[in-house]
Coordinates of all heavy atoms in Angstrom, one line a residue:
M1 N 11.3 -45.7 42.5 CA 12.3 -44.8 43.4 C 12.0 -45.4 44.9 O 10.8 -45.6 45.3 CB 11.9 -43.5 43.4 CG 12.3 -42.8 42.1 SD 12.0 -40.9 42.3 CE 13.4 -40.5 41.5
E2 N 13.0 -45.4 45.6 CA 13.0 -45.9 47.0 C 12.8 -44.7 47.9 O 13.3 -43.6 47.7 CB 14.4 -46.6 47.3 CG 14.5 -47.3 48.6 CD 15.8 -48.0 48.8 OE1 16.1 -48.7 47.8 OE2 16.4 -47.8 49.9
S3 N 12.1 -45.0 49.0 CA 11.9 -44.0 49.9 C 13.0 -43.8 50.8 O 13.6 -44.8 51.2 CB 10.6 -44.3 50.8 OG 9.5 -44.2 50.1
N4 N 13.4 -42.6 51.2 CA 14.6 -42.3 52.1 C 14.0 -42.1 53.6 O 14.8 -42.2 54.5 CB 15.3 -41.2 51.6 CG 16.0 -41.5 50.3 OD1 16.4 -42.5 50.0 ND2 15.9 -40.5 49.4
F5 N 12.7 -41.8 53.7 CA 12.2 -41.3 54.9 C 10.8 -42.1 55.2 O 10.1 -42.2 54.2 CB 11.8 -39.8 55.0 CG 13.0 -38.9 54.9 CD1 13.5 -38.6 53.5 CD2 13.8 -38.5 56.0 CE1 14.6 -37.8 53.4 CE2 15.0 -37.7 55.8 CZ 15.4 -37.4 54.6
E6 N 10.6 -42.6 56.4 CA 9.4 -43.2 56.7 C 8.5 -42.3 57.3 O 8.7 -41.5 58.1 CB 9.7 -44.4 57.7 CG 8.4 -45.1 58.2 CD 8.8 -46.1 59.3 OE1 9.9 -46.2 59.7 OE2 7.8 -46.8 59.6
L7 N 7.3 -42.3 56.8 CA 6.2 -41.4 57.3 C 5.4 -42.2 58.3 O 4.9 -43.3 58.0 CB 5.3 -40.9 56.1 CG 6.0 -40.2 54.9 CD1 4.9 -39.7 53.9 CD2 6.8 -39.0 55.4
I8 N 5.2 -41.6 59.5 CA 4.2 -42.2 60.4 C 3.3 -41.1 60.8 O 3.5 -40.1 61.1 CB 5.2 -42.4 61.7 CG1 6.3 -43.4 61.4 CG2 4.3 -43.0 62.8 CD1 7.4 -43.4 62.5
F9 N 2.0 -41.7 60.6 CA 0.9 -40.8 60.9 C 0.2 -41.0 62.2 O 0.2 -42.2 62.6 CB -0.3 -41.1 59.8 CG 0.2 -40.9 58.4 CD1 0.8 -42.0 57.6 CD2 0.4 -39.7 57.8 CE1 1.3 -41.7 56.3 CE2 0.8 -39.4 56.6 CZ 1.2 -40.4 55.8
E10 N -0.2 -39.9 62.9 CA -0.8 -39.9 64.1 C -2.2 -40.6 63.9 O -2.8 -40.5 62.9 CB -0.9 -38.5 64.7 CG 0.5 -38.0 65.1 CD 0.4 -36.8 66.0 OE1 -0.7 -36.3 66.1 OE2 1.5 -36.4 66.5
P11 N -2.8 -41.1 65.0 CA -4.1 -41.7 64.9 C -5.2 -40.8 64.3 O -6.1 -41.3 63.6 CB -4.4 -42.2 66.3 CG -3.0 -42.5 66.9 CD -2.2 -41.4 66.3
Q12 N -5.2 -39.6 64.7 CA -6.2 -38.6 64.3 C -6.2 -38.4 62.7 O -7.1 -38.1 62.1 CB -6.0 -37.2 65.0 CG -7.1 -36.2 64.6 CD -8.5 -36.6 65.1 OE1 -8.7 -37.2 66.1 NE2 -9.4 -36.3 64.2
F13 N -5.0 -38.7 62.1 CA -4.8 -38.5 60.7 C -5.9 -39.3 59.8 O -6.5 -38.8 59.0 CB -3.5 -38.9 60.3 CG -3.4 -38.9 58.8 CD1 -3.1 -37.7 58.0 CD2 -3.4 -40.1 58.0 CE1 -3.1 -37.7 56.7 CE2 -3.3 -40.0 56.6 CZ -3.2 -38.8 55.9
T14 N -6.2 -40.5 60.2 CA -7.1 -41.4 59.5 C -8.5 -40.7 59.5 O -9.1 -40.6 58.4 CB -7.2 -42.8 60.1 OG1 -5.9 -43.5 60.2 CG2 -8.2 -43.6 59.4
K15 N -9.0 -40.2 60.6 CA -10.2 -39.5 60.6 C -10.3 -38.3 59.8 O -11.2 -38.0 58.9 CB -10.6 -39.2 62.1 CG -11.0 -40.3 62.9 CD -11.4 -39.8 64.3 CE -11.5 -40.9 65.3 NZ -11.8 -40.4 66.6
D16 N -9.2 -37.5 59.9 CA -9.1 -36.2 59.1 C -9.0 -36.5 57.7 O -9.6 -35.8 56.9 CB -7.9 -35.5 59.7 CG -8.0 -34.9 61.1 OD1 -9.1 -34.9 61.6 OD2 -7.0 -34.5 61.6
Y17 N -8.2 -37.5 57.2 CA -8.1 -37.9 55.9 C -9.3 -38.3 55.3 O -9.7 -37.9 54.1 CB -7.0 -39.0 55.8 CG -6.8 -39.4 54.4 CD1 -5.9 -38.7 53.6 CD2 -7.4 -40.5 53.8 CE1 -5.6 -39.0 52.2 CE2 -7.2 -40.9 52.4 CZ -6.3 -40.1 51.7 OH -6.0 -40.5 50.3
R18 N -10.1 -39.1 56.0 CA -11.4 -39.6 55.5 C -12.4 -38.4 55.3 O -13.1 -38.3 54.3 CB -12.1 -40.6 56.4 CG -11.4 -42.0 56.3 CD -12.1 -43.0 57.3 NE -11.3 -44.3 57.2 CZ -11.2 -45.0 58.3 NH1 -11.8 -44.8 59.4 NH2 -10.6 -46.2 58.0
K19 N -12.4 -37.5 56.2 CA -13.2 -36.2 56.2 C -12.9 -35.4 54.9 O -13.7 -35.0 54.2 CB -13.1 -35.5 57.5 CG -14.0 -34.3 57.5 CD -14.0 -33.6 58.7 CE -14.9 -32.4 58.8 NZ -14.9 -31.6 60.1
L20 N -11.5 -35.3 54.8 CA -11.0 -34.4 53.7 C -11.4 -35.0 52.4 O -11.8 -34.3 51.4 CB -9.5 -34.2 53.8 CG -8.8 -33.4 52.7 CD1 -9.3 -32.0 52.8 CD2 -7.3 -33.6 52.7
K21 N -11.2 -36.3 52.3 CA -11.4 -37.1 51.0 C -12.9 -37.0 50.6 O -13.3 -36.8 49.5 CB -11.1 -38.5 51.2 CG -11.1 -39.3 49.9 CD -10.5 -40.7 50.2 CE -10.5 -41.5 48.9 NZ -9.9 -42.8 49.0
K22 N -13.8 -37.0 51.7 CA -15.2 -36.8 51.4 C -15.6 -35.4 51.0 O -16.4 -35.1 50.1 CB -16.0 -37.2 52.7 CG -17.5 -37.2 52.5 CD -18.2 -37.7 53.8 CE -19.7 -37.7 53.6 NZ -20.4 -38.2 54.9
E23 N -15.1 -34.5 51.8 CA -15.6 -33.0 51.6 C -14.8 -32.2 50.6 O -15.3 -31.2 50.0 CB -15.4 -32.3 52.9 CG -16.5 -32.9 54.0 CD -16.3 -32.2 55.4 OE1 -15.8 -31.2 55.5 OE2 -17.1 -32.7 56.3
H24 N -13.5 -32.6 50.4 CA -12.6 -31.9 49.5 C -11.8 -32.9 48.6 O -10.6 -32.8 48.7 CB -11.8 -30.8 50.1 CG -12.6 -29.8 50.9 ND1 -13.1 -28.7 50.2 CD2 -13.0 -29.8 52.1 CE1 -13.9 -28.0 51.1 NE2 -13.7 -28.6 52.3
P25 N -12.4 -33.7 47.9 CA -11.6 -34.8 47.2 C -10.5 -34.2 46.2 O -9.5 -34.8 45.8 CB -12.6 -35.6 46.3 CG -13.8 -34.8 46.3 CD -13.7 -33.8 47.5
E26 N -10.7 -32.8 45.8 CA -9.8 -32.2 44.8 C -8.5 -32.1 45.5 O -7.4 -31.9 44.7 CB -10.4 -31.0 44.4 CG -10.6 -29.9 45.4 CD -11.8 -30.0 46.2 OE1 -12.5 -30.9 46.2 OE2 -11.9 -28.9 47.1
L27 N -8.3 -32.1 46.8 CA -6.9 -32.0 47.5 C -6.2 -33.2 47.7 O -5.1 -33.2 48.0 CB -7.2 -31.2 48.7 CG -7.6 -29.7 48.7 CD1 -8.0 -29.2 50.1 CD2 -6.4 -28.9 48.0
I28 N -6.9 -34.4 47.5 CA -6.2 -35.6 47.9 C -5.0 -35.9 46.9 O -4.0 -36.4 47.5 CB -7.3 -36.7 47.7 CG1 -8.3 -36.6 48.8 CG2 -6.6 -38.2 47.9 CD1 -7.8 -36.5 50.3
S29 N -5.0 -35.5 45.8 CA -3.9 -35.8 44.8 C -2.8 -34.9 45.3 O -1.6 -35.5 45.3 CB -4.3 -35.5 43.3 OG -3.1 -35.7 42.5
D30 N -2.9 -33.7 45.6 CA -1.9 -32.9 46.0 C -1.4 -33.4 47.4 O -0.1 -33.3 47.6 CB -2.4 -31.4 46.3 CG -2.7 -30.8 44.9 OD1 -2.2 -31.2 43.8 OD2 -3.3 -29.7 44.9
L31 N -2.2 -33.8 48.3 CA -1.8 -34.3 49.5 C -0.9 -35.6 49.4 O 0.2 -35.6 50.0 CB -3.0 -34.6 50.5 CG -2.7 -35.1 52.0 CD1 -1.9 -34.0 52.7 CD2 -4.0 -35.5 52.6
R32 N -1.4 -36.5 48.6 CA -0.6 -37.7 48.3 C 0.8 -37.3 47.7 O 1.7 -38.0 48.0 CB -1.5 -38.6 47.4 CG -2.6 -39.3 48.2 CD -3.2 -40.4 47.3 NE -4.3 -41.1 48.1 CZ -5.2 -41.7 47.5 NH1 -5.2 -41.9 46.1 NH2 -6.1 -42.3 48.2
G33 N 0.8 -36.4 46.8 CA 2.0 -36.0 46.1 C 3.0 -35.4 47.2 O 4.2 -35.7 47.1
S34 N 2.5 -34.6 48.1 CA 3.3 -34.0 49.2 C 3.9 -35.1 50.1 O 5.1 -35.0 50.4 CB 2.6 -32.9 49.9 OG 1.6 -33.6 50.8
F35 N 3.2 -36.2 50.3 CA 3.6 -37.3 51.2 C 4.7 -38.0 50.3 O 5.7 -38.4 50.9 CB 2.5 -38.2 51.5 CG 1.5 -37.7 52.5 CD1 0.3 -38.2 52.5 CD2 1.9 -36.6 53.3 CE1 -0.6 -37.7 53.6 CE2 0.9 -36.0 54.2 CZ -0.4 -36.6 54.3
K36 N 4.5 -38.1 49.1 CA 5.6 -38.8 48.2 C 6.9 -38.0 48.3 O 8.0 -38.6 48.4 CB 5.1 -38.9 46.8 CG 6.1 -39.8 46.0 CD 5.5 -40.1 44.7 CE 6.5 -40.9 43.8 NZ 5.9 -41.2 42.4
E37 N 6.9 -36.6 48.2 CA 8.0 -35.8 48.3 C 8.6 -35.9 49.6 O 9.8 -36.0 49.8 CB 7.5 -34.4 48.1 CG 7.2 -33.9 46.7 CD 6.9 -32.5 46.5 OE1 7.4 -31.6 47.3 OE2 6.1 -32.2 45.6
L38 N 7.8 -35.9 50.7 CA 8.3 -36.1 52.1 C 9.0 -37.4 52.2 O 10.1 -37.5 52.8 CB 7.2 -36.0 53.1 CG 6.7 -34.6 53.5 CD1 5.4 -34.8 54.3 CD2 7.7 -33.9 54.2
S39 N 8.5 -38.5 51.7 CA 9.2 -39.7 51.9 C 10.4 -39.9 51.1 O 11.3 -40.6 51.4 CB 8.2 -41.0 51.4 OG 8.0 -40.9 50.0
M40 N 10.5 -39.1 50.0 CA 11.8 -39.2 49.2 C 12.8 -38.2 49.6 O 14.0 -38.5 49.7 CB 11.4 -38.8 47.7 CG 10.6 -39.8 47.0 SD 11.2 -41.4 47.0 CE 12.7 -41.1 46.0
Y41 N 12.4 -37.0 50.0 CA 13.4 -35.9 50.3 C 13.4 -35.3 51.7 O 14.3 -34.6 52.2 CB 13.2 -34.8 49.4 CG 13.0 -35.1 47.9 CD1 11.9 -35.1 47.2 CD2 14.2 -35.7 47.3 CE1 11.9 -35.5 45.8 CE2 14.1 -36.1 45.9 CZ 13.0 -36.0 45.2 OH 12.9 -36.5 44.0
G42 N 12.3 -35.7 52.5 CA 12.3 -35.2 53.9 C 11.7 -33.8 54.0 O 11.5 -33.2 55.0
I43 N 11.3 -33.3 52.8 CA 10.7 -31.9 52.8 C 9.9 -31.7 51.5 O 10.0 -32.6 50.6 CB 11.8 -30.8 52.8 CG1 11.2 -29.4 53.0 CG2 12.5 -30.8 51.5 CD1 10.8 -29.1 54.5
V44 N 8.9 -30.8 51.5 CA 8.1 -30.5 50.3 C 8.7 -29.5 49.6 O 9.5 -28.6 50.0 CB 6.6 -30.3 50.7 CG1 6.0 -31.6 51.3 CG2 6.5 -29.1 51.7
N45 N 8.1 -29.2 48.3 CA 8.7 -28.1 47.4 C 8.2 -26.8 48.0 O 7.3 -26.6 48.8 CB 8.3 -28.3 46.0 CG 6.7 -28.3 45.9 OD1 6.1 -27.4 46.3 ND2 6.3 -29.2 45.0
E46 N 8.9 -25.7 47.6 CA 8.5 -24.4 48.0 C 7.1 -23.8 47.6 O 6.7 -23.0 48.3 CB 9.6 -23.5 47.5 CG 11.1 -23.7 48.1 CD 11.0 -23.3 49.5 OE1 10.4 -22.4 50.1 OE2 11.6 -24.2 50.3
I47 N 6.5 -24.4 46.7 CA 5.2 -24.1 46.4 C 4.2 -24.3 47.6 O 3.4 -23.5 47.8 CB 4.6 -25.0 45.2 CG1 5.4 -24.6 44.0 CG2 3.1 -24.6 44.9 CD1 5.1 -25.5 42.8
S48 N 4.5 -25.2 48.5 CA 3.6 -25.5 49.6 C 4.0 -24.6 50.7 O 3.4 -24.6 51.8 CB 3.8 -27.0 50.0 OG 3.4 -27.8 49.0
K49 N 5.1 -23.8 50.5 CA 5.6 -22.8 51.6 C 5.9 -23.4 52.9 O 5.3 -23.0 54.0 CB 4.6 -21.6 51.7 CG 4.4 -20.9 50.4 CD 3.4 -19.7 50.5 CE 3.3 -19.0 49.2 NZ 2.1 -18.3 49.1
P50 N 6.7 -24.5 52.9 CA 7.1 -25.0 54.2 C 7.9 -24.0 55.1 O 8.5 -23.2 54.6 CB 8.1 -26.2 53.9 CG 8.6 -25.8 52.6 CD 7.6 -25.0 51.8
H51 N 7.5 -24.1 56.4 CA 8.2 -23.1 57.3 C 8.2 -23.7 58.7 O 7.5 -24.7 59.0 CB 7.4 -21.7 57.3 CG 6.0 -21.9 57.6 ND1 5.1 -22.2 56.7 CD2 5.3 -21.7 58.8 CE1 3.8 -22.2 57.3 NE2 4.0 -21.9 58.5
T52 N 9.1 -23.2 59.6 CA 9.3 -23.6 60.9 C 8.2 -22.9 61.7 O 8.0 -21.7 61.7 CB 10.6 -23.3 61.4 OG1 11.6 -24.0 60.6 CG2 10.9 -23.9 62.8
L53 N 7.5 -23.7 62.6 CA 6.6 -23.2 63.6 C 7.4 -22.5 64.8 O 8.3 -23.1 65.4 CB 5.6 -24.3 64.1 CG 4.6 -24.9 63.1 CD1 4.1 -26.2 63.7 CD2 3.6 -23.9 62.7
N54 N 6.9 -21.3 65.1 CA 7.5 -20.6 66.2 C 6.5 -19.7 66.9 O 6.7 -18.6 67.3 CB 8.7 -19.8 65.8 CG 8.4 -18.8 64.8 OD1 7.2 -18.6 64.4 ND2 9.3 -18.0 64.4
N55 N 5.3 -20.3 67.2 CA 4.2 -19.6 67.9 C 4.5 -19.6 69.4 O 4.9 -20.7 69.9 CB 2.9 -20.3 67.7 CG 2.5 -20.3 66.2 OD1 2.9 -19.4 65.5 ND2 1.9 -21.4 65.8
R56 N 4.4 -18.5 70.0 CA 4.5 -18.3 71.5 C 3.7 -19.4 72.2 O 2.5 -19.6 72.1 CB 4.1 -17.1 72.0 CG 4.3 -16.8 73.4 CD 4.0 -15.5 74.0 NE 5.3 -14.9 74.4 CZ 5.4 -13.7 74.8 NH1 4.5 -12.9 74.7 NH2 6.6 -13.3 75.1
G57 N 4.4 -20.3 73.0 CA 3.8 -21.4 73.7 C 3.2 -22.5 72.9 O 2.4 -23.4 73.4
G58 N 3.5 -22.5 71.6 CA 3.0 -23.6 70.7 C 3.5 -25.0 71.1 O 4.7 -25.1 71.4
N59 N 2.7 -25.9 70.8 CA 3.1 -27.4 71.1 C 4.0 -27.9 70.0 O 4.7 -28.9 70.3 CB 1.8 -28.3 71.1 CG 0.9 -27.9 72.3 OD1 1.4 -27.4 73.4 ND2 -0.4 -28.2 72.2
Y60 N 4.0 -27.4 68.9 CA 4.8 -27.9 67.8 C 6.0 -27.0 67.4 O 6.5 -27.2 66.3 CB 3.8 -28.2 66.6 CG 2.8 -29.3 67.0 CD1 1.5 -28.9 67.0 CD2 3.1 -30.6 66.9 CE1 0.5 -29.8 67.5 CE2 2.1 -31.6 67.2 CZ 0.8 -31.1 67.4 OH -0.1 -32.1 67.8
N61 N 6.3 -26.1 68.2 CA 7.5 -25.2 67.9 C 8.7 -26.0 67.5 O 9.0 -27.1 68.1 CB 7.8 -24.3 69.1 CG 6.8 -23.1 69.1 OD1 6.0 -22.9 68.2 ND2 6.8 -22.4 70.3
G62 N 9.3 -25.4 66.5 CA 10.6 -26.1 66.1 C 10.3 -27.1 65.0 O 11.2 -27.5 64.3
N63 N 9.2 -27.6 64.7 CA 8.8 -28.5 63.6 C 8.4 -27.7 62.5 O 8.1 -26.5 62.5 CB 7.6 -29.5 64.1 CG 8.0 -30.3 65.2 OD1 9.0 -31.2 65.1 ND2 7.4 -30.1 66.4
Q64 N 8.2 -28.3 61.3 CA 8.0 -27.8 60.1 C 6.5 -28.0 59.8 O 5.9 -28.9 60.3 CB 8.8 -28.5 58.8 CG 10.2 -28.2 58.9 CD 10.5 -26.9 58.4 OE1 10.1 -26.5 57.4 NE2 11.3 -26.2 59.1
E65 N 5.9 -27.0 58.9 CA 4.4 -27.2 58.6 C 4.4 -26.7 57.2 O 5.2 -26.0 56.7 CB 3.5 -26.6 59.5 CG 3.6 -25.0 59.4 CD 2.3 -24.4 59.9 OE1 1.3 -25.0 60.3 OE2 2.3 -23.2 60.1
Y66 N 3.3 -27.2 56.5 CA 3.0 -26.6 55.2 C 1.6 -26.7 55.0 O 0.9 -27.4 55.7 CB 3.9 -27.3 54.0 CG 3.4 -28.8 53.8 CD1 2.5 -29.1 52.9 CD2 4.1 -29.7 54.5 CE1 2.2 -30.4 52.6 CE2 3.8 -31.1 54.3 CZ 2.8 -31.4 53.4 OH 2.6 -32.8 53.2
H67 N 1.1 -25.9 54.0 CA -0.4 -25.8 53.8 C -0.8 -26.3 52.3 O 0.0 -26.0 51.5 CB -0.9 -24.4 53.9 CG -0.7 -23.8 55.2 ND1 -1.6 -23.7 56.2 CD2 0.5 -23.4 55.9 CE1 -1.1 -23.2 57.3 NE2 0.1 -23.0 57.1
L68 N -1.9 -26.9 52.2 CA -2.5 -27.1 51.0 C -3.8 -26.4 51.0 O -4.6 -26.5 52.0 CB -2.7 -28.7 50.7 CG -1.5 -29.6 50.7 CD1 -1.9 -31.0 50.8 CD2 -0.7 -29.2 49.5
S69 N -4.2 -25.8 49.9 CA -5.4 -24.9 49.9 C -6.0 -25.0 48.5 O -5.3 -24.9 47.5 CB -5.1 -23.5 50.3 OG -6.2 -22.8 50.4
N70 N -7.3 -24.9 48.5 CA -8.1 -24.8 47.3 C -8.9 -23.6 47.2 O -9.8 -23.5 46.5 CB -8.9 -26.1 47.0 CG -9.9 -26.2 48.1 OD1 -10.1 -25.5 49.0 ND2 -10.8 -27.3 48.0
G71 N -8.6 -22.7 48.1 CA -9.4 -21.5 48.3 C -10.7 -21.7 49.3 O -11.3 -20.7 49.7
K72 N -11.1 -22.9 49.5 CA -12.3 -23.2 50.3 C -11.9 -23.7 51.7 O -12.4 -23.5 52.7 CB -13.2 -24.2 49.7 CG -13.8 -23.8 48.4 CD -14.6 -25.0 47.8 CE -15.0 -24.6 46.4 NZ -15.6 -25.8 45.7
V73 N -10.7 -24.5 51.7 CA -10.3 -25.1 52.9 C -8.7 -25.0 52.8 O -8.1 -25.1 51.7 CB -10.7 -26.5 53.0 CG1 -10.1 -27.4 51.9 CG2 -10.4 -27.1 54.4
D74 N -8.2 -24.8 54.0 CA -6.7 -24.7 54.2 C -6.2 -26.0 55.0 O -6.6 -26.1 56.3 CB -6.2 -23.5 54.8 CG -4.7 -23.4 54.9 OD1 -4.0 -23.9 54.2 OD2 -4.3 -22.6 56.0
V75 N -5.5 -26.9 54.4 CA -5.1 -28.1 55.1 C -3.7 -27.9 55.6 O -2.8 -27.5 54.9 CB -5.0 -29.3 54.1 CG1 -4.6 -30.6 54.9 CG2 -6.5 -29.6 53.5
L76 N -3.5 -28.0 56.9 CA -2.2 -27.8 57.6 C -1.6 -29.2 57.9 O -2.3 -30.0 58.4 CB -2.5 -27.1 58.9 CG -1.3 -27.0 59.8 CD1 -0.6 -25.7 59.6 CD2 -1.7 -27.1 61.3
V77 N -0.4 -29.4 57.4 CA 0.3 -30.5 57.6 C 1.6 -30.2 58.4 O 2.4 -29.4 58.1 CB 0.8 -31.2 56.3 CG1 1.6 -32.5 56.6 CG2 -0.4 -31.5 55.4
I78 N 1.7 -31.0 59.6 CA 2.9 -30.7 60.5 C 3.9 -31.8 60.3 O 3.5 -33.0 60.4 CB 2.4 -30.6 61.9 CG1 1.5 -29.4 62.1 CG2 3.6 -30.4 62.9 CD1 0.9 -29.2 63.4
I79 N 5.1 -31.5 60.1 CA 6.2 -32.5 60.0 C 7.0 -32.5 61.2 O 7.6 -31.5 61.6 CB 7.1 -32.1 58.8 CG1 6.2 -31.9 57.5 CG2 8.1 -33.2 58.6 CD1 7.0 -31.2 56.4
I80 N 7.0 -33.6 61.8 CA 7.9 -33.8 63.1 C 8.9 -34.7 62.7 O 8.7 -36.0 62.4 CB 7.0 -34.3 64.3 CG1 5.9 -33.4 64.5 CG2 8.0 -34.6 65.5 CD1 4.8 -33.9 65.7
H81 N 10.2 -34.3 62.6 CA 11.3 -35.1 62.4 C 11.7 -35.9 63.6 O 11.9 -35.3 64.6 CB 12.4 -34.3 61.8 CG 12.2 -33.7 60.4 ND1 12.2 -34.4 59.3 CD2 11.7 -32.4 60.1 CE1 11.9 -33.6 58.2 NE2 11.6 -32.4 58.7
I82 N 11.8 -37.1 63.4 CA 12.3 -38.0 64.5 C 13.8 -38.4 64.2 O 14.1 -38.9 63.1 CB 11.4 -39.2 64.7 CG1 10.0 -38.7 65.0 CG2 11.9 -40.1 65.8 CD1 9.0 -39.8 65.0
K83 N 14.6 -38.3 65.3 CA 16.0 -38.7 65.0 C 16.1 -40.1 64.8 O 15.4 -40.9 65.5 CB 16.9 -38.2 66.2 CG 16.9 -36.7 66.4 CD 17.8 -36.3 67.5 CE 17.8 -34.7 67.6 NZ 18.5 -34.3 68.6
P84 N 17.0 -40.6 63.9 CA 17.1 -42.1 63.7 C 17.8 -42.7 65.0 O 18.6 -42.1 65.6 CB 18.0 -42.0 62.5 CG 18.7 -40.8 62.4 CD 17.8 -39.8 63.0
I85 N 17.4 -44.0 65.1 CA 18.0 -44.8 66.1 C 18.8 -45.9 65.5 O 18.3 -46.7 64.6 CB 16.9 -45.5 67.0 CG1 15.9 -44.4 67.6 CG2 17.4 -46.3 68.0 CD1 14.8 -44.9 68.4
L86 N 20.1 -45.9 65.8 CA 21.0 -46.8 65.3 C 20.9 -48.1 66.1 O 20.9 -48.2 67.4 CB 22.4 -46.4 65.3 CG 22.7 -45.1 64.5 CD1 24.1 -44.7 64.7 CD2 22.4 -45.3 63.0
L87 N 20.7 -49.2 65.4 CA 20.5 -50.5 66.1 C 21.9 -51.4 66.0 O 22.5 -51.3 65.1 CB 19.3 -51.3 65.6 CG 17.9 -50.7 65.7 CD1 17.0 -51.5 64.9 CD2 17.6 -50.4 67.1

């Protein structure tokens, strides 16, 4: 299957991913699966409970987020949609 959306990760992601992989490897498969959904459809399934951020004064208001959890740790993923640039 071909990806419809390009995922771009912030620099901090690499550090966070390595830490998560070391401390909670059981979540990596779900995280990778959610990234595959994002690259295909631009959103994750309802099981992850995606929702729009609207915290008073929040830096990411208007963007989507979802959570992955195993009962021990809650991984928050923020989705920032970037408008396409026509060349």
Side-chain angles (χ1 to χ4, degrees):
M1 290 186 140
E2 185 178 316
S3 294
N4 297 316
F5 298 88
E6 179 182 4
L7 303 183
I8 301 170
F9 299 97
E10 292 189 353
Q12 182 64 39
F13 172 79
T14 302
K15 291 179 184 178
D16 294 342
Y17 181 83
R18 287 181 183 147
K19 183 177 179 181
L20 181 68
K21 191 173 181 177
K22 182 179 178 182
E23 295 178 9
H24 300 281
E26 67 277 9
L27 288 175
I28 295 301
S29 178
D30 289 343
L31 183 62
R32 287 182 179 168
S34 71
F35 290 160
K36 186 174 182 178
E37 287 179 30
L38 280 172
S39 71
M40 295 301 298
Y41 310 111
I43 192 68
V44 293
N45 65 43
E46 289 299 317
I47 293 170
S48 299
K49 299 179 182 165
H51 56 278
T52 301
L53 291 169
N54 60 358
N55 301 324
R56 176 177 249 174
N59 293 332
Y60 297 102
N61 283 347
N63 294 295
Q64 294 282 309
E65 77 166 342
Y66 65 95
H67 298 258
L68 297 173
S69 180
N70 64 358
K72 298 176 188 172
V73 65
D74 183 24
V75 177
L76 171 95
V77 180
I78 298 174
I79 306 164
I80 301 172
H81 292 280
I82 300 172
K83 294 181 183 177
I85 300 171
L86 300 175
L87 302 175

